[in-house]
Amino acid sequence: MHGFLARLGVELPDLLITQALTHRSFSYENGGEPHNERLEFLGDSILGQAVTVKLFRDHPDLSEGTLAKRRSSLVSSVALAEVGRHIGLGVHLRLGRGEELTGGREKDSILADTVEAIIGAVFVGLGPEVANTFVLDLVTPLFADPDRFGAAMDPKTSLQEAAAERGLNPPQYSVTGEGPDHDRIFTAVVSVGSVKKGDAVGARLVAGDLNVLVSGHGVGSSKKQAEIAAALDAWTVLNRETSEGA
């Protein structure tokens, strides 16, 4: 736990950070121990305000509509889940057995909600100024990459456009689901840039007679969520490999 807090750059009481990391499924299975939904509610508001103010101050030339779209991108579940993965949040989550068995540590919704809960905990434990700085530190990598605004708002369209710009075949999605009907978890795989065998240089995967230049993976509580997460993963890989190959 101490290493986790060190990566966040904050110090919080054990009870407070423990609550922020506790999903309601764990609470229900452990005698009603306090869970993180109230902190998540608070953190969502703090996150939105911090991002809104920064966008307003940094971009006096942008219209209200453009600012709103950028804010939506930065506070989206996809973006916050990526923040959660970047700080290694998944391994520290306190989940009930059902969520544990259905891949809860990789679900975008749970990761995003927990990031918001941690923001709420920082506000409660350390005050509004520290919480504001903490939020901006978390999302700075997203601010620093303007191309991500469009990608995070609509990853599937962005991936399709990126593939077309490079003369690659359209993305192909494959989705599988597991778990009970009321609590299914879906895993999506998307492949981009399939070409005839021998035509690609440095292809990483082989599927039948085709080389897959880029693949992306995503997990979600619905097929749509899983495909969106996979598309953003593939978009990130495709842009990174294109930049490195330039």
Side-chain angles (χ1 to χ4, degrees):
M1 186 72 71
H2 294 296
F4 173 63
L5 289 175
R7 286 196 297 276
L8 295 179
V10 297
E11 294 184 10
L12 291 172
D14 285 344
L15 286 178
L16 190 55
I17 190 63
T18 296
Q19 182 179 349
L21 295 170
T22 301
H23 188 258
R24 65 177 179 271
S25 62
F26 183 95
S27 174
Y28 294 158
E29 294 178 12
N30 291 272
E33 184 174 332
H35 56 73
N36 63 11
E37 289 187 352
R38 282 177 55 84
L39 290 173
E40 173 200 335
F41 169 78
L42 177 61
D44 175 69
S45 178
I46 296 162
L47 170 70
Q49 179 179 351
V51 169
T52 299
V53 171
K54 181 171 175 57
L55 286 171
F56 180 83
R57 289 175 173 171
D58 289 358
H59 301 284
D61 56 323
L62 295 182
S63 68
E64 179 272 341
T66 301
L67 290 172
K69 289 179 179 179
R70 291 199 172 195
R71 178 180 60 195
S72 295
S73 171
L74 289 164
V75 304
S76 70
S77 292
V78 171
L80 293 181
E82 183 173 349
V83 168
R85 293 188 180 97
H86 177 70
I87 63 176
L89 185 57
V91 70
H92 298 285
L93 298 175
R94 304 178 81 210
L95 303 176
R97 190 169 185 275
E99 286 291 354
E100 192 75 69
L101 293 174
T102 56
R105 295 185 187 280
E106 284 298 318
K107 287 183 180 178
D108 279 8
S109 58
I110 291 179
L111 288 168
D113 290 348
T114 306
V115 169
E116 290 180 335
I118 293 173
I119 293 170
V122 172
F123 181 92
V124 170
L126 300 174
E129 292 186 6
V130 175
N132 186 77
T133 300
F134 178 71
V135 168
L136 297 181
D137 286 345
L138 286 179
V139 299
T140 288
L142 304 182
F143 278 106
D145 187 359
D147 288 339
R148 297 184 55 82
F149 289 122
M153 283 187 284
D154 189 354
K156 294 183 72 173
T157 298
S158 295
L159 178 61
Q160 185 171 342
E161 291 175 348
E165 288 172 358
R166 294 161 175 77
L168 304 175
N169 288 342
Q172 300 293 320
Y173 293 86
S174 174
V175 183
T176 57
E178 59 182 16
D181 290 341
H182 69 281
D183 192 23
R184 288 181 70 75
I185 182 71
F186 295 90
T187 301
V189 178
V190 59
S191 58
V192 182
S194 299
V195 295
K196 291 182 180 180
K197 184 178 288 187
D199 287 352
V201 177
R204 298 190 298 112
L205 298 175
V206 176
D209 293 331
L210 300 177
N211 287 324
V212 181
L213 296 178
V214 170
S215 68
H217 297 75
V219 177
S221 57
S222 68
K223 291 182 179 179
K224 181 178 180 180
Q225 275 191 351
E227 288 185 348
I228 287 173
L232 184 57
D233 183 40
W235 181 91
T236 301
V237 173
L238 181 60
N239 279 270
R240 182 174 64 243
E241 293 194 350
T242 300
S243 297
E244 291 174 351

